[in-house]
Amino acid sequence: MIDTLDVGERTTRVAVMNYASTVKVEFPLRTYFDKASMKEAVSRIEPLSAGTMTGLAIQTAMDEVFTEEMGTRPATSNIPKVVIVVTDGRPQDQVQDVAASARTAGIEIYAVGVDRADMQSLRIMASEPLDEHVFYVETYGVIEKLTSRFRETFCAVNVCALGTHGCQQLCVSDGPSHLCDCYEGYTLNPDKRTCSAVDMCAPGRHECDQICVSNNRSYVCDCYEGYTLNPDKKSCSATDMCAPGRHDCAQVCLNNDGTYSCGCYEGYTLNPDRKTCSAADVCAPGRHDCEQVCVRDDLSYTCGCHQGYTLNPDRKTCSRAITSSLVTTEESCKCEAIVALQDSVTSRLEALSTKLEEVSEKLQAYQERQQIV
């Protein structure tokens, strides 16, 4: 491509930029004014690391290359500014707005896609008319076929390329004249130069996380119920993560600084999935206060005693049954067995009565909670 140009200080000046996830100006417009030196410098260029920050590259071209300090001639000279973007990937940043700014500043953009390049991105970047500024080749090896096309347009008078058109968004060449146009979602104002947004909250036109509210020619962001707008005025954070419908806990939801954890009611333990609960074994060692026997009853328990013992009034401890010394051994055994059976039956009946009262109280409390909910 350099061979086809009339390179020189007073003719065509060339700069080369290298970009990936970062941008490097290999040499600016003021460095080389002969083809041999320029081609030698190009041959020494090493690829940067992975990435395709095309928008950043175009912005860097405006900020660091097309300046008089770096070799751009004064605007009064009416010398066209041309950018040729060569890429084989999809931009990883926003290119539409920065490309529009470059075109408005009088920079004519050619977009050359190679191999897997994204054609839609090339069309967004390039100057109008697109069929003269967007190109595609299968490999870098055949890109030289495009050089004659570039040379024909470099030297042509193009009002849209010179930056004197005054269009806010798009300039469309019309022979020696031009027309202004707008991006999709905008309409041309009566002055035929500037554009107004049709709907700033249309999909893809805003950065709101949840709700976009149109505000004249701009917009503001808002959040759904249960959320609050973050300091960036775009994204939202949940106010109450345990609000109904916002969690998947089976029993108890516990707020925890923007997130939540699950818990269980008394008598239950949290399962390994950290969401559901299972009834605990209330008679497991260390979970009850029975002295001798623990009898599990749904989510609670009652205490009992071994044969020959009776349950004390505290319903927890046991005492050995008392027998008379005036009876025979056989009668004593019978009496002890009868007393033990009676005590066991009595103890069990009392325990069941107590349990019935507890169940009744829990049922009443549950019904009251249901009414509150």
Side-chain angles (χ1 to χ4, degrees):
M1 189 176 296
I2 292 172
D3 284 335
T4 67
L5 300 174
D6 185 12
V7 175
E9 183 177 2
R10 301 183 63 83
T11 51
T12 302
R13 298 184 181 183
V14 178
V16 174
M17 295 175 57
N18 190 1
Y19 77 95
S21 58
T22 58
V23 179
K24 177 183 179 182
V25 179
E26 295 290 348
F27 55 84
L29 295 168
R30 67 182 183 184
T31 305
Y32 301 108
F33 298 122
D34 66 280
K35 295 181 182 182
S37 300
M38 190 178 296
K39 291 166 66 176
E40 173 63 21
V42 169
S43 69
R44 295 194 299 268
I45 295 176
E46 294 289 339
L48 297 177
S49 58
T52 314
M53 301 296 285
T54 311
L56 178 63
I58 296 174
Q59 186 65 54
T60 304
M62 288 191 290
D63 297 341
E64 300 180 19
V65 176
F66 288 116
T67 65
E68 291 189 25
E69 293 81 3
M70 291 293 103
T72 297
R73 283 161 284 191
T76 54
S77 302
N78 286 331
I79 297 175
K81 302 181 183 70
V82 177
V83 163
I84 303 175
V85 180
V86 182
T87 178
D88 60 357
R90 179 190 297 270
Q92 294 175 329
D93 55 359
Q94 296 296 319
V95 296
Q96 179 170 318
D97 290 342
V98 68
S101 297
R103 294 192 300 266
T104 301
I107 299 174
E108 186 175 10
I109 300 178
Y110 290 81
V112 181
V114 182
D115 192 16
R116 296 169 298 172
D118 178 54
M119 291 301 296
Q120 181 61 29
S121 299
L122 300 179
R123 295 174 66 86
I124 288 175
M125 288 185 283
S127 299
E128 295 285 347
L130 295 180
D131 59 352
E132 295 180 9
H133 292 82
V134 178
F135 302 93
Y136 173 81
V137 291
E138 291 77 13
T139 65
Y140 285 98
V142 298
I143 202 170
E144 64 183 25
K145 295 179 181 179
L146 303 176
T147 56
S148 59
R149 296 281 300 276
F150 291 144
R151 181 173 174 81
E152 290 173 5
T153 56
F154 288 167
C155 301
V157 176
N158 187 333
V159 176
C160 290
L162 293 176
T164 58
H165 51 77
C167 299
Q168 183 183 27
Q169 293 188 355
L170 298 176
C171 176
V172 181
S173 295
D174 183 19
S177 185
H178 71 283
L179 299 173
C180 295
D181 200 358
C182 302
Y183 302 132
E184 183 179 356
Y186 290 82
T187 57
L188 196 64
N189 292 327
D191 62 6
K192 302 299 181 182
R193 293 186 299 105
T194 59
C195 301
S196 295
V198 176
D199 181 7
M200 295 301 294
C201 285
R205 298 206 59 79
H206 65 87
E207 298 177 310
C208 297
D209 185 24
Q210 294 186 354
I211 299 174
C212 176
V213 181
S214 293
N215 182 19
N216 195 10
R217 295 186 180 183
S218 184
Y219 67 89
V220 293
C221 299
D222 202 356
C223 302
Y224 302 136
E225 184 178 356
Y227 290 81
T228 55
L229 196 63
N230 292 327
D232 63 6
K233 301 301 181 183
K234 300 175 183 178
S235 59
C236 301
S237 296
T239 304
D240 182 8
M241 296 300 294
C242 285
R246 294 210 54 78
H247 65 88
D248 52 2
C249 297
Q251 293 187 356
V252 180
C253 177
L254 306 171
N255 274 302
N256 185 21
D257 191 24
T259 183
Y260 69 92
S261 59
C262 298
C264 300
Y265 301 138
E266 183 178 357
Y268 289 81
T269 57
L270 195 64
N271 292 327
D273 63 6
R274 316 306 298 171
K275 300 176 183 179
T276 58
C277 300
S278 296
D281 183 4
V282 292
C283 282
R287 294 193 61 83
H288 65 88
D289 54 2
C290 297
E291 183 181 33
Q292 292 188 0
V293 179
C294 175
V295 181
R296 180 175 174 178
D297 185 16
D298 194 13
L299 300 179
S300 187
Y301 67 92
T302 57
C303 297
C305 300
H306 299 311
Q307 185 175 357
Y309 291 83
T310 57
L311 195 65
N312 292 328
D314 63 5
R315 320 307 302 170
K316 300 177 182 179
T317 60
C318 299
S319 297
R320 184 178 293 277
I322 300 175
T323 59
S324 175
S325 61
L326 300 178
V327 296
T328 65
T329 302
E330 181 179 355
E331 291 175 339
S332 176
C333 291
K334 291 180 179 179
C335 289
E336 288 180 355
I338 293 172
V339 170
L341 177 61
Q342 290 175 339
D343 288 343
S344 177
V345 171
T346 300
S347 175
R348 183 61 176 169
L349 289 174
E350 290 175 351
L352 291 175
S353 177
T354 301
K355 180 57 182 176
L356 183 60
E357 291 177 359
E358 292 176 351
V359 171
S360 177
E361 291 174 356
K362 289 182 179 180
L363 178 60
Q364 182 177 357
Y366 175 78
Q367 291 174 341
E368 290 175 352
R369 287 199 302 272
Q370 290 296 101
Q371 291 174 359
I372 292 173
V373 173

